[in-house]
Amino acid sequence: MKFMKLGNRPDTFFSPSDSERSVYTEVATDLQILVGKCLYHLHKFPLLSKCLLLQALCAESGCGGDGDLIELAGFPGGAEAFEVCAKFCYGITITVSARNLVPLRCAATHLGMSEAADRGNLVAKLDSFLASCLLRRWKDALAVLHSTRHNVPLCEELGLTSRCVNAVADLIANPAAAVIPAKSTSASPWWAHDIAELGVDMFWRIMVAVKSTGAVNEKTIGDALKTYARRWLPNVAKDGLAAEQPFDDAAGASVKQISTRHRLLLEKIVSLLPVDKDAVSCAFLLKLLKAANILSASAASKAELVRRVAWQLEEASVSDLLIPSVSCMSDMLYDVDAVAAILHEFTLRHAAATAPARSPDDNSPARSDGHRRSRSDESVGFDGARRSSSAAPVSQYALARVGRLADAFLMEVAKDPHLPVEKLLAIAEAVPDSARPEHDGLYKVVHSYLKAHPEMSKSARKRLCRVLNCRKLSEKACSHAAQNELLPLRVVVQVLFFEHARAAALSGAPVAGELPSNIKALLSKSGSEEDDADRVDEQRLRALASGASPGDDWSVEGLRRAASKIATLRMKMEEEDEDDDEFVRKAGLSRSASLRFRAFCAMPAGNPKRMLSKLWPLGRSVTADRH
C-alpha cells in the first residue's frame, strides 16, 4: 500500500489529561478548539493561516484570549482527523495512505484548507496523491472506496465516491494500465471477489460503469454477479443454504430490515443481468427466482427472471424447478404457478419463432387432428402477434428436453396431496405438443396423481386424463393402462382400441382411423350420469357385446388378426398381477364395471374363435359380407 509523508518537524503534541491535547512550544497557546469530547489548546497563527473556517469563526466570536473557545460540532473524521490537519498546519510530519485519505480530505475541506487560504495547502496535496498514485493501484483504489462509506453525503458532494468508482471500473476494463494483483485461477474473474466485499450500492455503480465501457464480455459480468450473490444473498450460496455472512451493519438489525436489504440486493442483481443468453446459467437464475419468492421481490424483478429462465429452460434440472411455496393461502409444497408462468413464456418464445400466423377468423379451439388444443396453444392464439423479447429459434432437442423436464417436474409435484388438479393441468397443457413425441411420462404423472388423490370424483379423473393422447403411449404404457383401476373406463377403451390398431398395422392389415360409432356413443356419455356410471357402462357394454353391428370398425377379421397381440398383452398383464393386486388391496378398490370390461377384453389366446362367435355370430357376419 502506497503512502505519502508531509512535513518534516517532529511530533510535539501531548495529552495534559484524558480529554485534552496540546502542543509543546515556547509560546503560550491562545486558542481552544473543542472537537467531540476532546479539547485542543493550540495557537492561532499556524492554524488561521491555513484554515478559512477558523478565520471566520474567530472573526465572528472576537476571541482574543486563552479562555475563548471554538466548538466544531459534527466534525467529519472526528478528533483524529482534526489533529492530523492541525499537525499539518504546524509542519509536523504526517503520513497519508489509502486508509486515512478520505477522512483527511473531508476534514480539510470542512476547515477550508484550500488554495484560497494558502498555496500548497492540504486539499491540493491530497487530491494530487489520490489521482497520481492511489487510484492507479487496485488495492489502494478499493481501500479508498471502502472508506467513503463512513461519510457518504460529504464524499458524494466532494466527488470522491464517483472518482473512486470510475477508477475501479477503469482498472477492471483495462488492467494492463495499472498495478493489479495476480489473476485468479478460479472460475470467477480476478476482480470479482474483491468488489464482492463492497455494499450493494457501490457494487451496482461499479458494475454499471464496467458495462458502460463495453470492454468486459458479458459472461465475465455474469460470473461476477454470481460471486456477489453467493457472498451476500440467502439461498444463493454455493451450498444452497445461506450467505457467508450478513452485511456490515446487520448486527442488531431487525428481521424486516435485513429482509429489505436482501430484497434491494436481489433487485439490483436482476437489473444487472447481461443480455446474452449464456452469460449466466439457468440454475443461477432459478436460485434468484427462489430468493425473489422468499424475499417478496417486486413483480418486475420476478417477471424478468421468469423471462430469462424461459429463454434457456432446456438447461434446467428438476431440482432447480422445485421452488418452495411461501404463500400463506395455500398448503402446497412447491410454487407451481411460477413454473407454469415459465412454461407459458417458453411456449410464447417457441410460437413466436416457429408457429405460422393464424388467420383472423380461425377461432376454433379444436385441432386438425381431432385432439383438444392445449391451453398454451390457446394463449398463443389470443396473444396474436405478441412476440417475446427473448424470442429465438427453439431446436427439436430443446423442445424434447423441456417436455421431459416438465413431466419429471410433474412427477414430483403430483405426490403433493394439496395440489389442485387445475394447477397440474395448467403445467401439463403449457408444454407444446411437439415437445412430447410420446406420452409415457405424462401417463406416469396421471397415475401418480390419481394414487395421491384417491378421493377424486370421476368427472375430475376424466378431466385429468384428457391431457393423455393414447396414440402416443408405448406398448409398455398401454399394457399398464389396460389394467389400471384408477383410470376412467373411456380411457381404457381408447387404449385397447389403439393397441388393436397398432397390432393390425404391424400385420399389414387395414384398420379404421377412429373408434367405432357404438364405442364413441359409449364414451360421449353426459357428465350428469356420474353417480350411476358403473351400472350404465356395464349395461351398454353388455348390449354392445350381444348386438354389435358387423359394419362397425371392430370386425371379426380385425379382432382375429389382433388375437395374438391381445394374448401377448394379457401375458404381460399377468406378470404385473401381484403388484397390482397389492395396490388394489391398499387402495380399497372394488371390482367395478371397468374391471369386468378388462376381463371381457382379455380374450383367451388358444381359441379366439369361440369368444368371437359369442360376440358376432359368424353366420351373421357372412350374411353381412354377402350384402
Side-chain angles (χ1 to χ4, degrees), residues 156-175:
E156 291 287 356
E157 180 182 346
L158 298 177
L160 288 176
T161 306
S162 298
R163 291 176 65 183
C164 292
V165 167
N166 293 333
V168 171
D170 290 340
L171 292 177
I172 292 174
N174 188 21

Side-chain angles (χ1 to χ4, degrees), residues 277-278 280-283 286 309 311-317 320 401-402 405:
K277 175 182 176 181
D278 298 327
V280 291
S281 65
C282 189
L286 284 166
V309 171
W311 194 2
Q312 49 197 107
L313 182 59
E314 60 271 16
E315 303 171 8
S317 64
D320 295 332
R401 178 75 176 83
V402 170
L405 178 66

Side-chain angles (χ1 to χ4, degrees), residues 317-385:
S317 64
V318 177
S319 60
D320 295 332
L321 290 178
L322 295 177
I323 303 172
S325 176
V326 295
S327 174
C328 59
M329 305 297 294
S330 173
D331 295 329
M332 291 189 300
L333 297 176
Y334 303 107
D335 187 354
V336 296
D337 292 332
V339 179
I342 292 171
L343 287 171
H344 176 73
E345 188 68 25
F346 175 82
T347 304
L348 291 178
R349 168 197 165 195
H350 169 58
T354 60
R358 299 174 66 244
S359 60
D361 57 345
D362 184 11
N363 296 320
S364 173
R367 292 163 47 103
S368 60
D369 57 1
H371 291 285
R372 180 178 179 269
R373 291 180 66 220
S374 67
R375 293 183 183 177
S376 60
D377 292 335
E378 294 172 5
S379 299
V380 173
F382 283 119
D383 288 341

Side-chain angles (χ1 to χ4, degrees), residues 217-539:
N217 65 70
E218 297 200 334
K219 180 65 169 64
T220 304
I221 292 176
D223 291 338
L225 294 178
K226 186 184 299 184
T227 301
Y228 192 79
R230 286 177 174 175
R231 175 67 176 84
W232 297 113
L233 197 60
N235 303 308
V236 189
K238 189 172 184 180
D239 56 2
L241 297 176
E244 295 177 12
Q245 56 181 323
F247 289 104
D248 295 337
D249 57 347
S254 65
V255 174
K256 184 177 180 180
Q257 290 174 329
I258 296 175
S259 177
T260 301
R261 291 192 188 102
H262 287 152
R263 182 168 60 252
L264 173 64
L265 187 153
L266 173 69
E267 293 173 355
K268 292 285 189 181
I269 290 177
V270 173
S271 68
L272 290 170
L273 288 175
V275 177
D276 287 356
K277 175 182 176 181
D278 298 327
V280 291
S281 65
C282 189
F284 174 65
L285 293 173
L286 284 166
K287 286 183 179 180
L288 291 181
L289 187 57
K290 292 177 183 179
N293 258 17
I294 296 173
L295 299 172
S296 300
S298 65
S301 297
K302 290 183 179 180
E304 176 64 15
L305 288 172
V306 166
R307 185 186 69 84
R308 293 297 303 269
V309 171
W311 194 2
Q312 49 197 107
L313 182 59
E314 60 271 16
E315 303 171 8
S317 64
V318 177
S319 60
D320 295 332
L321 290 178
L322 295 177
I323 303 172
S325 176
V326 295
S327 174
C328 59
M329 305 297 294
S330 173
D331 295 329
M332 291 189 300
L333 297 176
Y334 303 107
D335 187 354
V336 296
D337 292 332
V339 179
I342 292 171
L343 287 171
H344 176 73
E345 188 68 25
F346 175 82
T347 304
L348 291 178
R349 168 197 165 195
H350 169 58
T354 60
R358 299 174 66 244
S359 60
D361 57 345
D362 184 11
N363 296 320
S364 173
R367 292 163 47 103
S368 60
D369 57 1
H371 291 285
R372 180 178 179 269
R373 291 180 66 220
S374 67
R375 293 183 183 177
S376 60
D377 292 335
E378 294 172 5
S379 299
V380 173
F382 283 119
D383 288 341
R386 174 187 168 185
R387 292 181 178 270
S388 173
S389 59
S390 60
V394 183
S395 65
Q396 188 58 41
Y397 168 79
L399 278 175
R401 178 75 176 83
V402 170
R404 292 192 298 270
L405 178 66
D407 291 346
F409 171 79
L410 289 174
M411 277 292 296
E412 292 295 328
V413 300
K415 304 171 186 176
D416 184 1
H418 301 290
L419 177 66
V421 65
E422 292 79 9
K423 292 187 179 293
L424 183 137
L425 288 173
I427 297 179
E429 295 176 348
V431 180
D433 290 340
S434 57
R436 285 195 183 102
E438 62 177 23
H439 275 209
D440 285 14
L442 197 56
Y443 169 72
K444 292 179 182 178
V445 170
V446 171
H447 178 67
S448 297
Y449 189 83
L450 291 175
K451 286 178 62 177
H453 301 78
E455 76 289 349
M456 286 183 65
S457 64
K458 290 193 175 182
S459 60
R461 291 171 184 262
K462 291 178 180 179
R463 188 166 71 254
L464 173 64
C465 292
R466 288 195 188 106
V467 300
L468 286 175
N469 186 346
C470 296
R471 298 176 185 271
K472 292 186 176 182
L473 293 178
S474 66
E475 182 178 349
K476 183 177 180 180
C478 287
S479 175
H480 188 279
Q483 57 179 356
N484 192 342
E485 282 290 336
L486 300 175
L487 295 178
L489 181 60
R490 65 181 61 199
V491 177
V492 178
V493 172
Q494 290 177 348
V495 168
L496 291 174
F497 171 74
F498 288 124
E499 184 67 6
H500 153 67
R502 180 185 301 162
L506 290 175
S507 65
V511 63
E514 60 179 10
L515 292 173
S517 58
N518 42 20
I519 297 295
K520 291 171 67 177
L522 171 66
L523 298 180
S524 61
K525 178 181 61 178
S526 171
S528 62
E529 303 173 1
E530 289 298 331
D531 293 339
D532 301 326
D534 287 343
R535 179 177 54 81
V536 175
D537 287 346
E538 185 175 3
Q539 291 175 356

